[in-house]
Amino acid sequence: MALAHKRIYTIDDIYALPDGQRAELIDGQMYMMAPPIRIHQKLISQFTKVIGNYIDAKHGTCEVYPAPFAVFLNEDDLNYVEPDISVICDKGKLNDKGCNGAPDWVIEIVSPSTSRIDYGVKLFKYRSAGVREYWIVNPLKKAVTVFDLEKEEKSNQYDFDDTISSCIYEDLTIHITNLLS
């Protein structure tokens, strides 16, 4: 019995989606994206503001981009993601289409439909692509997992009530409960 042929998608397939339909592409597999819920959008907005204000106050050169923002992780046409928050410090990676290569810091807000991908597939892809810091924020569990992908020993679990330190910005702390009040 012959095995079923699994279709391999490319970035051209992403661009061919109907207007309003969003998807990500990881190793040629397409993952459709459902519209986010309100808390998801509020967290994206607040993270963008807090991180952007921090960078501005420090006269930093990194830039913060909220989703939808295209990130082409590898130099191929099989990987295209839209992290909820992307912090990019190397402006040479930026062009009119998005970011070519790994952002320095990625934050993903988990929804029930993306949990397996965010905690598994994306963790692997972000680590292997060179992302330095990866946060997975789970609004349903009110939990945050912080991965310092440069120094593995710093990866930790936090509650929304905790004060969480960034790995790439040692003096930036975020208290998620305060973001939501």
Side-chain angles (χ1 to χ4, degrees):
M1 176 182 198
L3 293 175
H5 178 65
K6 195 173 195 179
R7 178 166 180 198
I8 301 297
Y9 293 92
T10 68
I11 290 171
D12 289 338
D13 294 306
I14 293 290
Y15 286 123
L17 291 172
D19 285 344
Q21 178 69 56
R22 290 178 49 218
E24 292 182 306
L25 186 65
I26 300 173
D27 295 329
Q29 296 304 301
M30 192 177 304
Y31 298 90
M32 304 311 286
M33 299 169 68
I37 61 174
R38 189 180 65 82
I39 191 170
H40 187 277
Q41 292 303 96
K42 184 168 185 174
L43 283 166
I44 290 173
S45 175
Q46 293 299 323
F47 276 123
T48 302
K49 187 182 336 176
V50 167
I51 297 167
N53 288 343
Y54 171 85
I55 292 169
D56 289 346
K58 297 290 185 175
H59 307 288
T61 58
C62 300
E63 296 185 15
V64 183
Y65 292 93
F69 180 73
V71 173
F72 306 92
L73 282 175
N74 305 96
E75 292 183 27
D76 62 26
D77 65 348
L78 302 177
N79 291 281
Y80 166 97
V81 293
E82 293 182 2
D84 290 314
I85 301 289
S86 299
V87 178
I88 297 117
C89 299
D90 179 355
K91 291 190 181 182
K93 292 180 179 181
L94 298 170
N95 65 24
D96 288 341
K97 289 188 174 187
C99 177
N100 292 297
D104 292 87
W105 183 7
V106 168
I107 300 174
E108 293 284 9
I109 315 297
V110 174
S111 64
S113 64
T114 66
S115 181
R116 180 184 62 82
I117 297 163
D118 292 334
Y119 285 101
V121 176
K122 284 187 177 178
L123 172 60
F124 174 78
K125 288 305 290 185
Y126 290 150
R127 177 182 283 133
S128 61
V131 170
R132 296 167 55 202
E133 179 170 0
Y134 177 38
W135 288 24
I136 303 173
V137 179
N138 190 326
L140 296 176
K141 294 182 179 179
K142 296 186 178 187
V144 181
T145 306
V146 174
F147 295 94
D148 183 336
L149 300 176
E150 289 183 311
K151 304 173 195 131
E152 289 294 325
E153 72 276 2
K154 287 181 116 180
S155 299
N156 283 309
Q157 282 282 140
Y158 299 94
D159 293 322
F160 276 22
D161 291 328
D162 293 330
T163 299
I164 306 169
S165 295
S166 167
C167 303
I168 66 170
Y169 299 117
E170 292 185 12
D171 60 341
L172 172 61
T173 60
I174 298 175
H175 190 267
I176 295 176
T177 298
N178 291 348
L179 295 181
L180 298 173
S181 54

